[in-house]
Amino acid sequence: MKSSKHRTSRMSSLAEDMGLHVPDEAPYRSKLHYLFAQIEKEFEVLYMENLNLQEKLDGFTNKDSLQSCERSTSTNPSAGSNIAPLPVSVCHEEVDTAAGASVVTGNKGFKSKFTSSGGKVKASHKIKAQTSRIVSSFKAQSVVSSAVMREFCGHKDGVWQVAAKVGQPIIGTASADHTACVWGIESGRCLLQYTGHVGSVNSIKFHLNRDLVLTGSGDGTAHIWQAAVNWDVSKKGHSSEEELEDSDGQGDDRDRVDTLRTPLCEFTGPGGHLSVVVAADWLPSMDQVITGSWDRTAILWDVETKEPLQPLSGHDHELTHVSAHPTQRLVVTASRDSTFRLWDFRDPIPGVSVFQGHTESVTSTVFSKDDKVVSGSDDRTVKVWELRNMRSALATIRTDSSVNRLAVSNAGIIAIPHDNRQIRLFDLNGQRVARLPRTSRQGHRRMVSSVAWAEEPLLNCDLFSCGFDRRVFGWSIILPKDN
């Protein structure tokens, strides 16, 4: 889970996850829900005002950058006459507003109000500085095409993680509304909803070869459940004990959403976790899974026996993420203690290495295809490590916002989701590739909690993202050939 920055949007689900019970008779609970709803409504109003102001600033900045570009071209003959316009990086710290207008900027909450005189002067200087940076960076950046191709709506609370299925045009989502969903990319609709957890569903991973899904939850358990999608909307492929039902009890086959309540396998009981399971992943053999918890441990489980094989302890604070290597018996665990650990199960006696490259919570760690480890943190950095020599990071990417669950493509492009609603792309050398667009018409409106690359483009979607605005997007990313 994240820190207290997002308590307002997650209070009720976190209370349930941790076993805190609000009195039943309660005006308390209903009053809290009412107050939170009012806060959310005020936030949305301020956010929309901020978007309108930002779009106006975009217009001014674009105009200034084009004028500067023309001046630069006219004074430098070697620059050529055909210069493609690049995406303008908008300054979020200072905005030219009317007197008294408030600005909401990412995880920093509410910005102080500007006066009509000082605010405009500061904004003007910022725009000029930003324009200068844009012009000076023309030669360094590559042109990247990106656009939202699909949107998947239906969750009733924030979405913690998104995952793509290899070889099938489907994705999975895990949500704080206690459900996980399997979506058809072409139709954009939910094909299967899993309701077997009684807490927030914090992670989701597809089995590599079978129609199975692994989820971890705030109820302290991890589940494996059947996710066979029948494109003819029949019941074939589901076992009799899975209790499939029509979610609304009526309507034609096209509008029906199957609901699944019973897992095939549940990891819990003696030797299991004592608190929230924040993440889970399959080992490459697919006969074992790894889970990470707020109880400061990770556990290696046997899928067939459903028994814990080995607890992995040593972290000083809650775990935030676990990830398994795609082909080797290696696992990384990330924690709020600002470290991540590499666990090696290739020998009978497992080995462990501790890495202290970050200064705040490590929010995610993943393996890349070429045996690198990429770690992201609340310290606003992403680090790339060489698996064979992890004494120091190969590259450090510095950003302006906390990093959430990132992903690395087979081509070596890191997609970084941020608290400030941005998604940025970098290569493994730490060079910036692109920033995906975020406006009132496309992009996330709250923190982006997770991203996932498709192994092969799925109906023109290369990248998927989810966030606490309850929205899930499929993006088309066209990178230059040299990337």
Side-chain angles (χ1 to χ4, degrees):
M1 301 289 110
K2 294 290 299 170
S3 64
S4 59
K5 293 179 289 186
H6 310 292
R7 285 178 185 162
T8 300
S9 62
R10 296 179 289 177
M11 186 69 74
S12 64
S13 63
L14 287 177
E16 293 169 358
D17 296 343
M18 298 176 68
L20 301 177
H21 299 287
V22 182
D24 291 336
E25 58 269 6
Y28 306 107
R29 188 183 186 93
S30 59
K31 187 174 182 179
L32 279 174
H33 280 292
Y34 172 76
L35 290 174
F36 289 158
Q38 293 298 108
I39 292 171
E40 185 173 5
K41 188 181 296 183
E42 289 295 323
F43 180 88
E44 292 294 343
V45 171
L46 287 170
Y47 175 71
M48 293 309 297
E49 290 178 356
N50 186 41
L51 280 183
N52 291 333
L53 292 170
Q54 188 132 333
E55 287 179 356
K56 292 179 181 178
L57 179 59
D58 282 346
F60 288 125
T61 310
N62 276 319
K63 186 176 179 180
D64 286 352
S65 65
L66 288 174
Q67 290 173 350
S68 298
C69 177
E70 290 170 0
R71 288 195 297 270
S72 174
T73 304
S74 63
T75 57
N76 182 9
S78 64
S81 58
N82 296 321
I83 298 180
L86 295 177
V88 176
S89 177
V90 178
C91 173
H92 297 282
E93 299 298 326
E94 307 288 351
V95 179
D96 185 4
T97 69
S102 299
V103 180
V104 180
T105 57
N107 64 330
K108 292 186 178 179
F110 304 111
K111 289 291 287 182
S112 57
K113 295 180 179 180
F114 291 103
T115 63
S116 58
S117 57
K120 290 183 179 180
V121 172
K122 281 188 174 183
S124 174
H125 287 311
K126 282 286 183 178
I127 292 172
K128 290 179 181 178
Q130 190 68 22
T131 302
S132 176
R133 285 196 294 272
I134 293 166
V135 173
S136 65
S137 64
F138 276 172
K139 294 182 180 180
Q141 294 187 352
S142 302
V143 178
V144 176
S145 173
S146 59
V148 172
M149 303 300 292
R150 294 287 190 279
E151 182 174 354
F152 309 86
C153 296
H155 280 296
K156 298 178 181 178
D157 206 336
V159 185
W160 280 119
Q161 189 164 24
V162 60
K165 171 69 172 174
V166 177
Q168 290 189 35
I170 57 175
I171 60 169
T173 53
S175 172
D177 65 10
H178 299 192
T179 71
C181 291
V182 176
W183 305 80
I185 295 176
E186 184 174 11
S187 64
R189 65 186 186 89
C190 180
L191 304 177
L192 177 64
Q193 184 183 65
Y194 180 68
T195 61
H197 288 292
V198 294
S200 169
V201 186
N202 302 322
S203 72
I204 185 167
K205 287 284 185 175
F206 284 101
H207 190 284
L208 183 61
N209 305 313
R210 301 175 59 190
D211 295 324
L212 300 175
V213 175
L214 171 66
T215 49
S217 171
D219 60 17
T221 70
H223 292 179
I224 293 176
W225 42 278
Q226 184 80 35
V229 176
N230 191 314
W231 303 107
D232 296 326
V233 199
S234 72
K235 298 294 193 297
K236 184 179 179 181
H238 298 284
S239 65
S240 59
E241 64 180 1
E242 287 170 353
E243 301 175 33
L244 289 171
E245 62 179 18
D246 189 334
S247 64
D248 57 11
Q250 59 184 358
D252 59 23
D253 285 346
R254 186 185 64 179
D255 298 325
R256 181 171 59 195
V257 177
D258 287 332
T259 300
L260 177 63
R261 294 178 178 175
T262 306
L264 298 175
C265 182
E266 183 174 0
F267 301 102
T268 186
H273 289 296
L274 303 176
S275 186
V276 170
V277 175
V278 73
D281 199 4
W282 302 88
L283 266 67
S285 61
M286 297 292 154
D287 59 358
Q288 295 175 352
V289 298
I290 186 77
T291 56
S293 170
W294 279 6
D295 65 11
R296 306 184 183 183
T297 69
I299 298 177
L300 185 67
W301 300 82
D302 184 272
V303 172
E304 185 175 354
T305 65
K306 308 174 189 177
E307 295 293 327
L309 297 175
Q310 186 168 358
L312 309 178
S313 57
H315 282 291
D316 294 330
H317 293 289
E318 296 94 332
L319 269 65
T320 57
H321 196 229
V322 296
S323 182
H325 192 282
T327 59
Q328 303 182 56
R329 291 178 57 78
L330 299 171
V331 167
V332 282
T333 57
S335 170
R336 289 183 59 195
D337 62 10
S338 78
T339 72
F340 68 93
R341 293 177 177 237
L342 174 66
W343 307 83
D344 189 344
F345 297 105
R346 293 175 293 187
D347 296 324
I349 300 177
V352 59
S353 302
V354 183
F355 302 95
Q356 300 177 330
H358 292 282
T359 59
E360 295 186 35
S361 297
V362 182
T363 52
S364 68
T365 45
V366 298
F367 293 96
S368 71
K369 188 178 180 182
D370 57 350
D371 284 344
K372 291 182 175 65
V373 176
V374 182
S375 59
S377 171
D378 277 341
D379 66 10
R380 304 182 180 184
T381 68
V382 172
K383 294 179 181 285
V384 182
W385 310 77
E386 175 62 54
L387 192 59
R388 297 177 183 85
N389 181 15
M390 296 182 66
R391 294 179 183 177
S392 60
L394 295 175
T396 297
I397 300 166
R398 303 190 185 280
T399 70
D400 60 354
S401 181
S402 295
V403 176
N404 296 312
R405 293 184 178 178
L406 51 78
V408 183
S409 72
N410 285 341
I413 302 299
I414 310 168
I416 306 174
H418 289 289
D419 274 4
N420 66 359
R421 309 183 293 278
Q422 298 282 2
I423 302 172
R424 293 182 172 90
L425 305 183
F426 285 79
D427 64 24
L428 289 170
N429 295 318
Q431 297 298 311
R432 177 169 166 173
V433 176
R435 183 185 69 181
L436 302 193
R438 183 183 61 79
T439 67
S440 59
R441 290 175 295 277
Q442 63 176 332
H444 288 283
R445 297 175 180 173
R446 295 194 182 178
M447 67 171 248
V448 188
S449 50
S450 169
V451 290
W453 289 98
E455 295 292 338
E456 297 178 356
L458 299 173
L459 300 174
N460 294 324
C461 293
D462 311 88
L463 180 69
F464 298 90
S465 64
C466 64
F468 254 71
D469 53 5
R470 311 177 187 178
R471 305 166 87 188
V472 181
F473 291 121
W475 300 83
S476 173
I477 311 292
I478 302 176
L479 299 171
K481 291 183 179 180
D482 56 355
N483 282 329

